[in-house]
Amino acid sequence: MYDYRNNIKVILNKTEADDRSLENSLNAIKAIINMAEGGTAEKTNAKAIAQPKKKIANTQSIAQRNADLKQFKQLLTGLAQLIETPGDESAKKTSLEALHKLTFVPGVGKRYGNVLGKLDQAIQKSKTTKEAVNKKIFEEAMKPKEQPKRDYRKGRRYTVIRALSGCNLISDSGQIVYRIKESQVHSLNLKSGDIVEAVENQDNPNYEAEVLRVVGYRKLRTRDYDPIEEFRYAVVRGKTGQLAITRNIKGEKLRIRGKDITIPVDSSYYQGKNVHLEDGSIVDLAWYTGDVRIKKNPADAVQIRWIYQVDPPKQSDLSYKKNNKSKKQESEELIQLDMNLHYQRVGIAIGDNQNEGILEGIVSRYNGIPIPIDAFEGKKKVMERQIKDLDIVILMTAYAAHDATWNIQEFASKYGVKFAVSSSKGYRSFERALYRAENGLPAYEGTQSIDYKEVKNK
């Protein structure tokens, strides 16, 4: 037998710590041991050299298998998306790319060529349905609106002093620091004594402030500000050039110091790109309680503080159509509920920007003033401020958060606001809820039979 011990000692003494030296020494030792057992070094070396090739082949096989599985997963993902949203171009592209790559996998094209071909044609013929379009529109509407990033750490606290239009922000020392326009005051429903956090608005040419949030309230002394009275939701009546205000949307007369007052309106003074005063316009009036002009000529003291945008009815998009079947022709009638809101303020409790346009159009169709309420992220105090000034609140349960539902019901009951619930996402359901709220019918429709009177116009 061949004595291989000395050879092994020599190999071990010359072996270094790196991987290559260790691998060469191992192969040499295996060759020596093979010779001692009666084999040859050539066979051992050939076997040792063949092993890495086998590993490489196995590695390539695993990589190919993973690539095939990836394409198969991509195909299934694309098909699932295509089934959910028929005709979606992105899903069609993803599916076809994966499908074409799978046809090049050995054996797949030969075995399943016909099936893959039919699947290819089916994917290409997929078309967008009306339901898919409506679903996409609804999903876009459901996406939360991105709020501007605000650094509340930079906001400083000021006290609100209301003016006839807009307000002043004063510091603790009583100095006027900023002036706020009525548009910002109206959206936040600010009142004299409110404590707000605000930052300077550098983008504004007049360097006005931007109110970040309302953080508190303090009772002011009468000498610290001029008290203001207001007459909200006044209705402008009359012909062009002869407009005047005597009542509000509830029919209440405009009274100042116990006397009925008629305020003439000069429409040309308020005309603008987005402002148009005419018969039926809704406005808020305000005047200083101590103004000396009230005794002699109240019209000089009273000012229009806010003009509400009341859109005309949208007949084409909001009309509910009923078809009378006939062999020769089909005639259509527009069905409208027998209801007139008389410019009442209607709160629509839904998420931010979720089908607001269409629902607001329904309210405007019946001569109401639509006011959207965020029923997802609306804070309780803000929601209470909005609801207490409303006449009607319609809750869309499909678009509202669970907590907000209880808050809306609580505030509607607290302030005597007419309330109804639309449990369906359909616009007809919202219309019926509006009818029930206006006519004092049950808030929930349920399974009970309710007579909805209709007015048919051809």
Side-chain angles (χ1 to χ4, degrees):
M1 183 177 181
Y2 179 74
D3 188 359
Y4 55 83
R5 291 176 295 176
N6 291 331
N7 299 82
I8 292 177
K9 288 180 182 180
V10 174
I11 292 171
L12 292 175
N13 290 332
K14 292 184 178 182
T15 302
E16 298 179 0
D18 58 283
D19 294 341
R20 186 177 183 83
S21 179
L22 290 170
E23 186 176 356
N24 292 337
S25 298
L26 179 61
N27 293 334
I29 292 172
K30 287 181 179 179
I32 294 172
I33 294 174
N34 187 55
M35 290 172 62
E37 293 177 350
T40 60
E42 289 76 8
K43 291 182 180 180
T44 304
N45 290 336
K47 185 178 180 181
I49 294 171
Q51 286 180 352
K53 292 182 180 179
K54 185 177 181 181
K55 290 181 180 180
I56 293 173
N58 291 337
T59 303
Q60 292 177 346
S61 177
I62 294 172
Q64 183 62 40
R65 194 182 303 113
N66 291 337
D68 297 342
L69 289 174
K70 183 179 179 181
Q71 298 304 326
F72 185 67
K73 182 180 179 181
Q74 182 180 342
L75 175 61
L76 293 180
T77 303
L79 290 175
Q81 186 178 354
L82 199 59
I83 293 172
E84 186 177 1
T85 311
D88 185 86
E89 293 299 328
S90 176
K92 290 170 70 173
K93 184 179 179 182
T94 301
S95 304
L96 291 174
E97 284 181 357
L99 183 64
H100 293 161
K101 289 180 181 179
L102 283 175
T103 56
F104 292 101
V105 176
V108 174
K110 186 176 180 180
R111 292 181 181 179
Y112 310 106
N114 294 334
V115 178
L116 294 177
K118 292 180 180 179
L119 181 58
D120 187 302
Q121 293 178 3
I123 293 173
Q124 294 185 28
K125 291 180 180 179
S126 178
K127 295 181 180 180
T128 304
T129 61
K130 183 179 179 181
E131 290 76 11
V133 173
N134 292 337
K135 181 181 179 183
K136 188 174 182 180
I137 293 173
F138 178 75
E139 288 176 348
E140 289 295 327
M142 287 288 287
K143 288 182 180 179
K145 190 176 181 181
E146 292 185 3
Q147 298 294 334
K149 294 182 179 180
R150 294 171 174 172
D151 189 355
Y152 290 99
R153 295 171 298 179
K154 295 181 180 180
R156 294 188 177 183
R157 296 196 172 188
Y158 304 96
T159 302
V160 173
I161 300 294
R162 201 71 163 89
L164 291 186
S165 179
C167 73
N168 296 322
L169 298 186
I170 63 172
S171 61
D172 293 337
S173 60
Q175 294 181 343
I176 298 176
V177 183
Y178 294 112
R179 170 81 178 169
I180 303 299
K181 288 184 177 180
E182 182 65 28
S183 57
Q184 193 174 170
V185 176
H186 188 83
S187 63
L188 295 172
N189 196 21
L190 297 179
K191 295 179 176 60
S192 295
D194 284 341
I195 301 173
V196 299
E197 286 185 355
V199 293
E200 185 179 11
N201 187 0
Q202 297 289 350
D203 297 331
N204 191 293
N206 298 323
Y207 291 98
E208 295 179 346
E210 178 186 5
V211 177
L212 300 178
R213 56 185 175 181
V214 181
V215 295
Y217 176 81
R218 68 185 181 94
K219 190 174 182 180
L220 299 175
R221 296 174 297 183
T222 345
R223 65 183 182 184
D224 292 335
Y225 71 103
D226 295 325
I228 296 175
E229 292 186 29
E230 60 180 3
F231 188 68
R232 306 191 72 178
Y233 319 127
V235 183
V236 179
R237 291 298 186 189
K239 300 178 181 180
T240 305
Q242 300 178 352
L243 300 175
I245 297 173
T246 58
R247 300 173 182 267
N248 62 10
I249 58 176
K250 295 182 179 180
E252 300 169 344
K253 293 182 179 181
L254 172 59
R255 299 175 64 86
I256 300 178
R257 293 185 176 180
K259 295 182 179 180
D260 295 343
I261 302 296
T262 299
I263 302 296
V265 177
D266 184 2
S267 60
S268 62
Y269 182 77
Y270 297 99
Q271 298 298 93
K273 183 178 180 181
N274 299 320
V275 179
H276 184 64
L277 275 181
E278 58 185 358
D279 181 43
S281 296
I282 309 298
V283 300
D284 284 347
L285 302 178
W287 61 92
Y288 289 111
T289 306
D291 197 323
V292 294
R293 296 174 295 177
I294 291 178
K295 291 184 178 180
K296 295 182 179 181
N297 191 1
D300 293 341
V302 177
Q303 180 176 328
I304 293 179
R305 169 182 280 181
W306 185 257
I307 300 175
Y308 294 92
Q309 298 297 321
V310 182
D311 298 327
K314 300 179 181 179
Q315 297 289 345
S316 58
D317 295 336
L318 306 173
S319 300
Y320 184 80
K321 298 180 180 180
K322 180 179 179 181
N323 296 329
N324 296 325
K325 296 183 179 179
S326 176
K327 295 181 180 179
K328 295 183 179 180
Q329 61 180 8
E330 294 182 354
S331 61
E332 295 182 348
E333 291 182 340
L334 302 179
I335 298 179
Q336 182 175 348
L337 297 179
D338 187 9
M339 172 174 57
N340 192 336
L341 299 177
H342 297 289
Y343 301 104
Q344 296 182 77
R345 287 168 59 88
V346 180
I348 309 172
I350 55 177
D352 191 19
N353 198 26
Q354 293 174 354
N355 297 344
E356 284 181 10
I358 298 178
L359 298 179
E360 288 177 4
I362 294 176
V363 175
S364 300
R365 180 189 184 195
Y366 292 101
N367 302 319
I369 303 174
I371 307 293
I373 300 175
D374 190 349
F376 269 109
E377 299 180 353
K379 294 183 179 179
K380 191 171 182 179
K381 290 184 179 179
V382 177
M383 192 175 293
E384 183 176 6
R385 283 187 176 186
Q386 289 178 307
I387 293 176
K388 72 177 183 179
D389 294 325
L390 298 177
D391 301 296
I392 299 174
V393 174
I394 304 299
L395 172 63
M396 303 288 287
T397 56
Y399 299 147
H402 183 69
D403 294 340
T405 301
W406 293 107
N407 293 335
I408 291 169
Q409 289 178 303
E410 176 188 347
F411 297 141
S413 175
K414 179 178 179 181
Y415 295 104
V417 180
K418 290 179 279 188
F419 174 75
V421 175
S422 173
S423 56
S424 170
K425 299 177 183 178
Y427 307 133
R428 191 62 171 169
S429 174
F430 173 79
E431 202 172 27
R432 290 196 298 266
L434 198 58
Y435 183 90
R436 293 197 306 276
E438 171 62 13
N439 292 279
L441 297 171
Y444 293 85
E445 188 171 30
T447 58
Q448 56 194 322
S449 178
I450 297 177
D451 182 22
Y452 296 97
K453 295 182 180 180
E454 298 176 347
V455 177
K456 297 182 179 180
N457 297 320
K458 293 184 177 181

